[in-house]
Amino acid sequence: MSYNRYADFLTNKYGAKVYKVSLHLEGTCPNKDGNCSSGGCTFCADVGTAYESPYETKSIPQQLNDNIEYMKKRYKAKYFIGYLQNYSNTYMSKERLKDVLSQIKHHDLVGISISTRPDCINDEYLQIIKDNTSVDVCIELGLQTVNYHSLSKINRGHSLAEFIDAVLRIKNFGFESAVHLILNLPWDDMTDTIENAKIISALGLTYVKLHALYILKDTVMAKQYYAGEIELISEEEYKERVITFLRYLDKKIVIQRIIGRVPEGYSIFANWGSSWWKIHDDILALMQQQGYQQGDLCDYLNGKALQANYLK
């Protein structure tokens, strides 16, 4: 494998097949409710990322049990990670967070993954998570890009500084960390792609999850797209950016995925009309043909100039 694959990492860590099971909470984020902004990110729809279960009404224990049983039968998985996926899952009262965590219990559960925003991380909430969990914890941070000018253009509501602060605090508590990145935002170029990899490597995150930008119906970005105000790169250039990103990324960092997917009914543009798995396989084939590996260009940390000087 040309990159450090998540499924392989989990199997090696826990000794058996592990699957994430999504858990849906009713919630919001500070970029929607007026705390940071009332408009939200320009690419975000009303349902957030909960395309498969936007109106889930089951309790957390019911969702957990039902999803685990389904994954056991379909994928023969043995262990599971409860995934609080939609919206900002640390943006709630402290008492509610304690209550939510108390419900995520199952004898086959080995971890909890909590998706949130960089500006929804602080020490008090991290301590609550530490005190109310007995399994491995990963905090997933939506960042999208390290280019703070692009963050402003998509109305992200935070800058790069909040992300750096959140990662350092998460590491202080001994939790794993993950970052979500979009490598083809209209205002980013290959320099930003490389800088994404460099900053993620320097901070030492545990996981990376890559997305190709998809444009959802009834969003600000959809209006920009129809008006010709944004231009998207080609599928081939996206593949090139993913490969370049992986080559500059520290080989120890685990890749959860290199392209995402969204149901066609929600989008006006997604993955250039191609299937996610074909793009994924094309990227792997290109890396194998060229002999590229994750991290083969990660030579910029720990005083690169001094290291070169030692050889003189």
Side-chain angles (χ1 to χ4, degrees):
M1 180 62 70
S2 301
Y3 67 88
N4 192 359
R5 198 169 70 115
Y6 186 47
D8 297 334
F9 173 83
L10 292 178
T11 299
N12 290 333
K13 182 176 182 179
Y14 296 107
K17 186 179 288 188
V18 182
Y19 262 80
K20 272 185 173 180
V21 291
S22 294
L23 303 172
H24 178 76
L25 297 178
E26 290 298 326
T28 184
C29 85
N31 209 25
K32 284 179 173 290
D33 69 1
N35 192 334
C36 295
S37 173
S38 58
C41 302
T42 61
F43 56 76
C44 190
D46 289 340
V47 296
T49 58
Y51 306 111
E52 297 180 0
S53 58
Y55 307 111
E56 181 66 73
T57 58
K58 295 179 183 177
S59 68
I60 293 174
Q62 285 180 308
Q63 292 182 58
L64 189 61
N65 289 329
D66 291 351
N67 290 343
I68 284 177
E69 289 307 309
Y70 174 77
M71 292 295 184
K72 279 184 177 180
K73 293 176 182 177
R74 180 166 182 178
Y75 298 110
K76 310 301 181 185
K78 183 175 182 180
Y79 299 123
F80 301 89
I81 296 170
Y83 183 24
L84 293 172
Q85 177 181 10
N86 200 32
Y87 296 120
S88 302
N89 288 287
T90 56
Y91 188 59
M92 60 181 72
S93 71
K94 290 175 282 188
E95 289 307 313
R96 184 171 183 234
L97 179 59
K98 292 176 185 178
D99 180 58
V100 167
L101 293 171
S102 72
Q103 297 181 60
I104 307 177
K105 308 290 184 184
H106 192 281
H107 57 273
D108 293 326
L109 201 72
V110 294
I112 298 174
S113 194
I114 302 173
S115 182
T116 190
R117 287 167 51 93
D119 54 359
C120 292
I121 293 293
N122 73 17
D123 290 344
E124 192 170 359
Y125 274 66
L126 292 172
Q127 188 64 53
I128 289 171
I129 295 170
K130 191 175 188 68
D131 291 341
N132 289 274
T133 51
S134 57
V135 295
D136 292 338
V137 173
C138 177
I139 309 293
E140 299 197 18
L141 299 172
L143 175 64
Q144 318 316 338
T145 178
V146 300
N147 184 333
Y148 45 85
H149 299 294
S150 295
L151 291 176
S152 177
K153 289 181 183 296
I154 61 176
N155 194 41
R156 186 66 192 162
H158 65 76
S159 70
L160 179 60
E162 289 93 323
F163 171 74
I164 294 172
D165 177 66
V167 172
L168 296 177
R169 292 180 187 281
I170 290 165
K171 291 185 75 171
N172 284 340
F173 278 82
F175 298 148
E176 295 179 333
S177 57
V179 60
H180 294 223
L181 295 172
I182 299 172
L183 293 187
N184 61 322
L185 287 170
W187 310 275
D188 284 7
D189 57 21
M190 187 63 82
T191 300
D192 297 301
T193 296
I194 295 170
E195 195 66 11
N196 275 318
K198 287 184 172 183
I199 289 178
I200 300 312
S201 297
L203 288 172
L205 277 87
T206 318
Y207 307 109
V208 170
K209 185 179 291 185
L210 301 180
H211 307 255
L213 178 66
Y214 45 78
I215 299 179
L216 301 176
K217 296 176 180 178
D218 303 319
T219 61
V220 172
M221 192 169 281
K223 295 177 182 177
Q224 293 173 325
Y225 180 76
Y226 283 131
E229 297 172 2
I230 57 175
E231 185 174 346
L232 304 181
I233 64 172
S234 68
E235 179 181 337
E236 294 309 309
E237 186 172 349
Y238 177 77
K239 295 173 187 175
E240 183 181 357
R241 288 193 188 184
V242 172
I243 292 170
T244 303
F245 173 87
L246 291 174
R247 297 187 70 198
Y248 276 92
L249 189 72
D250 190 326
K251 63 183 180 181
K252 297 190 297 294
I253 297 174
V254 180
I255 311 301
Q256 292 198 1
R257 70 181 178 204
I258 58 178
I259 189 165
R261 57 181 175 176
V262 62
E264 293 182 3
Y266 286 93
S267 64
I268 60 173
F269 175 88
N271 295 344
W272 300 272
S274 183
S275 62
W276 69 270
W277 56 263
K278 182 181 183 303
I279 295 174
H280 172 275
D281 289 351
D282 285 350
I283 290 169
L284 286 185
L286 288 167
M287 292 186 74
Q288 290 165 3
Q289 289 168 14
Q290 299 297 324
Y292 296 150
Q293 292 286 326
Q294 178 182 335
D296 62 17
L297 293 178
C298 184
D299 61 350
Y300 46 84
L301 301 175
N302 195 26
K304 177 181 178 180
L306 289 176
Q307 292 175 34
N309 192 52
Y310 293 153
L311 300 178
K312 294 180 179 178

